[in-house]
Amino acid sequence: IPQHTGTLPVASYRLATNKAFDGEGNRGAYSFCMCPGGQIVPSSTEEGELCINGMSFSNRDSLWANSALVVTVSPDDPILDKYRSTHGETLAGLEFQRDMERSAYQLGGNNMTVPVQRLTDFVNGVVSSSIPSSSYRLGASSAALHDIYPKPLYNALANAITDHFDKQMPGFLCEDALLHGVETRTSSPVRVVRDQKTLEAGGVENLFPAGEGAGFAGGIVSAAVDGLVVAEAIKAKFLENGEEHSSVGQSFKSVGFEY
């Protein structure tokens, strides 16, 4: 029998549905930024808030794979109504994001410990009595992640997992899968206004908003492409014959998501 010494390549996946039922209607739900052989890391920017993200080192050789599970929230979504009443239309999404991150911080014990739950327990709405190991290095604590988001978002995510993702990739829903909370920053809840021709920020000359943080992308690739588009606009203004070309932006368009 031939002896083989090669190793299997790292595995990756992408799951998506636009029929995640939230109790009243369908929402989009999908895996995001899947990192094979990676780990989960903190990405918070404010005290008293917990946001996490996933990454892989270049070798992609850790024991874990991680991916965000995302449910869509539209600008006119009813779950944002209470945030509109206190923070206005523009900043409602940002305050919703911060509210979820504060809740995660509290669920974890107010010390950057990440709240976690077995995926099987999440869809059944029960706190996990035990948890498998986690790649998150600041500690993990079993918590009721099924209570952290508004009910329509929980319903949609649970439905996506049981009725769609596990059918697209049998075995996805299992006891060893550990859900961590929360990743709320898949794309910016606020878009910086920029001139459609010059791509400069509205009312601010020589400032060129670009990428995810400015609200013009929804992932690494789209952010990179938007950066190239903006770089061309900067080049057109400052490097080509030393003259401004106010019409150059007419051929440019956003490569990110529309809101």
Side-chain angles (χ1 to χ4, degrees), residues 15 17 19-21 29 69 118-125 154-174:
L15 304 169
T17 180
K19 296 181 180 180
F21 188 63
L69 297 181
R118 291 182 187 269
L119 196 60
T120 48
D121 291 331
F122 175 78
V123 298
N124 290 321
Y154 166 76
N155 289 341
L157 186 53
N159 178 258
I161 293 167
T162 58
D163 290 9
H164 301 282
F165 296 168
D166 197 51
K167 293 179 179 178
Q168 294 172 17
M169 191 172 82
F172 179 79
L173 176 58
C174 66

Side-chain angles (χ1 to χ4, degrees), residues 37-147:
Q39 69 181 75
I40 296 172
V41 296
S43 56
S44 304
T45 54
E46 298 287 340
E47 186 176 354
E49 299 175 4
L50 177 60
C51 179
I52 56 174
N53 208 326
M55 57 165 281
S56 294
F57 292 112
S58 59
N59 288 336
R60 295 184 171 185
D61 58 357
S62 83
L63 298 176
W64 301 273
N66 59 75
S67 170
L69 297 181
V70 181
V71 178
T72 56
V73 177
S74 63
D76 59 350
D77 203 302
I79 68 172
L80 297 178
D81 286 346
K82 75 172 185 177
Y83 303 100
R84 292 190 190 93
S85 65
T86 56
H87 289 77
E89 192 74 31
T90 302
L91 298 179
L94 182 61
E95 183 56 24
F96 169 63
Q97 176 190 76
R98 297 187 65 187
D99 192 22
M100 298 302 101
E101 293 176 11
R102 287 190 290 265
S103 296
Y105 184 80
Q106 293 165 6
L107 274 181
N110 299 303
N111 59 3
M112 297 300 291
T113 296
V114 65
V116 298
Q117 189 173 23
R118 291 182 187 269
L119 196 60
T120 48
D121 291 331
F122 175 78
V123 298
N124 290 321
V126 297
V127 177
S128 300
S129 59
S130 64
I131 56 174
S133 61
S134 168
S135 64
Y136 184 82
R137 298 184 180 184
L138 299 183
S141 176
S142 179
L145 288 182
H146 55 275
D147 286 335

